[in-house]
Amino acid sequence: MTQFAVGDMVPDFTLPASTGEEITLSSFRGRKVVLYFYPKDNTPACTQEACDFRDALPQIEAKGAVVLGISPDELKSHGKFAEKYSLPFPLLSDKDHNVSEMYGVWQLKKMYGREFWGVVRSTFLIDEEGRLIKEWRKLRVAGHAGDVVSVL
C-alpha cells in the first residue's frame, strides 16, 4: 500500500472524466484539490457523500479549491450518477484501479463474511503545488464534507 505524508508531493495521474474530457491532476496547480475516492456510484453512502460535496461546493470554491471524485465505475455510470444528482464536479473513472492503488485506497475489504478488493472511502486535500495537506482514510460520510471545508 502506498503511503505518503503531509507535505509530500502526491502522485500525478490522468483519467477520463464524466465531463467527457481527460483530467490530469497537475493541471489544477495553483488551486487546492479535494480528491475523494469512493467505492461505487448510486450506493447509499456514496450518493450521500457526493451530494454533501455538491452542497458544500460553494464554500469549497470560495476557499480556492476544486472537487474531483474517483471510483472504479465506468464513465457511463458516472455520467448517469452525475446527472441524476446534479453533481457539478467531475467524476473520474479508475476502472483499472491504478490510481486507487497509487493512493493506497485499493484494499482487501470484508463484508458479510466475504473478502473482496475494492476502494476504501478516502479523501486527500492537496495544496496549490501538489503537496498533501491532509488525508482522511476509512472515513465516515456523515459530516465529512463539513470537516473538509473547515480544514480548507
Side-chain angles (χ1 to χ4, degrees), residues 104-121:
V105 302
W106 186 257
Q107 297 176 20
L108 192 60
K109 298 167 73 172
K110 285 185 183 184
M111 188 184 290
Y112 307 121
R114 197 173 64 90
E115 284 192 343
F116 59 97
W117 285 90
V119 169
V120 173
R121 187 180 314 282

Side-chain angles (χ1 to χ4, degrees), residues 64-97:
V66 298
V67 173
L68 301 174
I70 298 182
S71 88
D73 292 309
E74 298 280 340
L75 283 177
K76 190 174 178 183
S77 172
H78 278 345
K80 288 179 179 173
F81 185 50
E83 189 176 333
K84 183 175 180 182
Y85 294 101
S86 303
L87 303 178
F89 48 81
L91 299 176
L92 311 182
S93 176
D94 185 26
K95 65 178 190 273
D96 301 330
H97 45 82

Side-chain angles (χ1 to χ4, degrees), residues 1 49 56-57 111 121:
M1 180 168 89
E49 184 177 30
L57 195 63
M111 188 184 290
R121 187 180 314 282

Side-chain angles (χ1 to χ4, degrees), residues 13-19 21-25 28 35 38 41 68-75 78 89-95 99:
F13 60 82
T14 301
L15 286 174
S18 55
T19 52
E21 62 201 320
E22 292 223 321
I23 289 187
T24 300
L25 181 62
F28 292 98
L35 181 67
Y38 65 100
D41 291 339
L68 301 174
I70 298 182
S71 88
D73 292 309
E74 298 280 340
L75 283 177
H78 278 345
F89 48 81
L91 299 176
L92 311 182
S93 176
D94 185 26
K95 65 178 190 273
V99 175

Side-chain angles (χ1 to χ4, degrees), residues 5-6 16 28 32 39 46 49 58 63 72 77 97 131 135 141 152:
V6 168
F28 292 98
K32 292 184 184 91
C46 296
E49 184 177 30
K63 295 179 184 264
S77 172
H97 45 82
R131 296 181 187 282
E135 64 181 13
V141 171
L152 275 167

